[in-house]
């Protein structure tokens, strides 16, 4: 199905639900459909670079739009949290970051910042030959040797270079580290991790993280909703 009714779209999409009956349905891809924005909608409704989907398609089909450093010509390509959307010909660069009002928004960044992406490790698997595969949240995989893999933990954040996927830095969720909520009712809140209450269950996804924002307020959510983005302060732009 190429389109869905506007009333069936995820609540957070910045589109008019009265102007037209139909809108673009995102294709299957690195982000779940219910947590993604079709690329044409990004161009038309978020960046206001087109007035219609047809105009957005022309921009996309011309190869002017990159997502995570790669040209994307699929106008239904799903764009999600922490993706980098670039239009070099217009000197426009954006990072999709969590937002407490609309779930996610596009934050303007510099051309240099657009070379790097932050993404969580969801699990690790051993592949043929004994190498370890880091399976990342956006569907990509990175191969490392066994010794190197020991330093990478599940839910650790990698800062990778685009499009090479070279690992530049890594951040773990720990007391004193800087983090941002990527899910839950407080999505988009960011600050310093003050406390980690580990779950007694075998799965640590029920562990509770307490974060203090820059205004001094504290917020809590479970571990799966937290992404580390720095050691003592944010390594990326979040405002």
């Amino acid at each position: 199905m190429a389109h869905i009714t506007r009333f069936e779209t995820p609540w957070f999409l910045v589109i008019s639900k009265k102007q037209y009956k139909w809108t673009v349905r995102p294709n299957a891809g690195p982000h779940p459909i219910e947590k993604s924005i079709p690329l044409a909608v990004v161009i038309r409704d978020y960046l206001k670079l087109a007035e219609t989907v047809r105009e957005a398609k022309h921009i996309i089909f011309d190869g002017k739009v990159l997502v995570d450093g790669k040209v994307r010509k699929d106008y239904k390509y799903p764009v999600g949290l922490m993706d980098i959307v670039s239009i070099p010909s217009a000197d426009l660069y954006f990072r999709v970051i969590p937002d407490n009002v609309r779930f996610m928004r596009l934050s303007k960044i510099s051309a240099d910042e657009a070379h790097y992406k932050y993404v969580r490790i969801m699990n690790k698997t051993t592949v043929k030959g004994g190498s370890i595969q880091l399976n990342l949240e956006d569907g990509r995989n990175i191969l490392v040797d066994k010794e190197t893999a020991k330093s990478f933990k599940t839910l650790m954040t990698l800062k990778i270079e685009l499009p090479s996927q070279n690992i530049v830095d890594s951040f773990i969720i720990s007391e004193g580290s800087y983090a941002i909520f990527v899910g839950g009712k407080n999505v988009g809140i960011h600050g310093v991790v003050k406390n980690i209450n580990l779950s007694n269950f075998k799965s640590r996804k029920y562990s509770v993280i307490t974060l203090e924002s820059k205004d001094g307020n504290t917020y809590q959510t479970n571990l799966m909703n937290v992404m580390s983005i720095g050691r003592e302060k944010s390594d990326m732009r979040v405002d």
Side-chain angles (χ1 to χ4, degrees), residues 188-204:
I189 298 295
H190 54 89
V192 177
V193 175
K194 304 302 290 187
N195 181 262
I196 301 174
N197 185 12
L198 294 178
S199 167
N200 291 324
F201 292 101
K202 184 177 181 180
S203 172
R204 290 297 175 88

Side-chain angles (χ1 to χ4, degrees), residues 21-176:
K21 179 178 179 180
W22 302 95
T23 191
V24 180
R25 176 188 175 88
N27 278 333
H31 302 282
I33 291 177
E34 66 275 9
K35 292 184 178 181
S36 63
I37 310 168
L39 189 54
V41 173
V42 170
I43 298 301
R44 184 191 63 185
D45 299 279
Y46 284 74
L47 301 184
K48 308 295 184 183
L49 298 177
E51 292 186 357
T52 65
V53 169
R54 177 174 290 184
E55 291 178 2
K57 284 182 181 180
H58 282 305
I59 295 172
I60 295 166
F61 293 163
D62 283 346
K64 294 180 179 179
V65 184
L66 286 71
V67 180
D68 290 346
K70 293 184 178 181
V71 172
R72 297 294 180 183
K73 294 188 177 182
D74 178 7
Y75 75 99
K76 295 183 285 184
Y77 184 83
V79 176
L81 283 176
M82 298 301 173
D83 281 355
I84 302 295
V85 178
S86 307
I87 308 175
S89 61
D91 195 28
L92 292 174
Y93 306 90
F94 301 88
R95 188 189 310 278
V96 183
I97 66 173
D99 181 68
N100 194 236
V101 177
R102 300 295 302 194
F103 179 58
M104 54 184 168
R105 62 184 172 88
L106 273 72
S107 176
K108 194 169 185 179
I109 58 176
S110 68
D112 287 339
E113 290 176 286
H115 289 299
Y116 304 101
K117 181 176 185 178
Y118 299 79
V119 61
R120 294 190 296 181
I121 300 172
M122 302 313 291
N123 56 63
K124 300 187 291 184
T125 53
T126 302
V127 298
K128 188 176 181 179
S131 295
I132 304 298
Q133 179 174 280
L134 306 179
N135 302 311
L136 308 186
E137 192 165 19
D138 64 353
R140 73 180 72 226
N141 307 300
I142 297 178
L143 287 178
V144 295
D145 59 62
K146 284 186 177 180
E147 194 60 34
T148 302
K150 293 178 182 178
S151 61
F152 297 122
K153 309 296 181 183
T154 299
L155 294 185
M156 175 181 279
T157 299
L158 298 182
K159 179 181 180 180
I160 61 174
E161 187 177 34
L162 298 174
S164 68
Q165 296 197 158
N166 291 330
I167 299 173
V168 176
D169 208 342
S170 60
F171 308 103
I172 195 168
I173 299 171
S174 60
E175 291 185 7

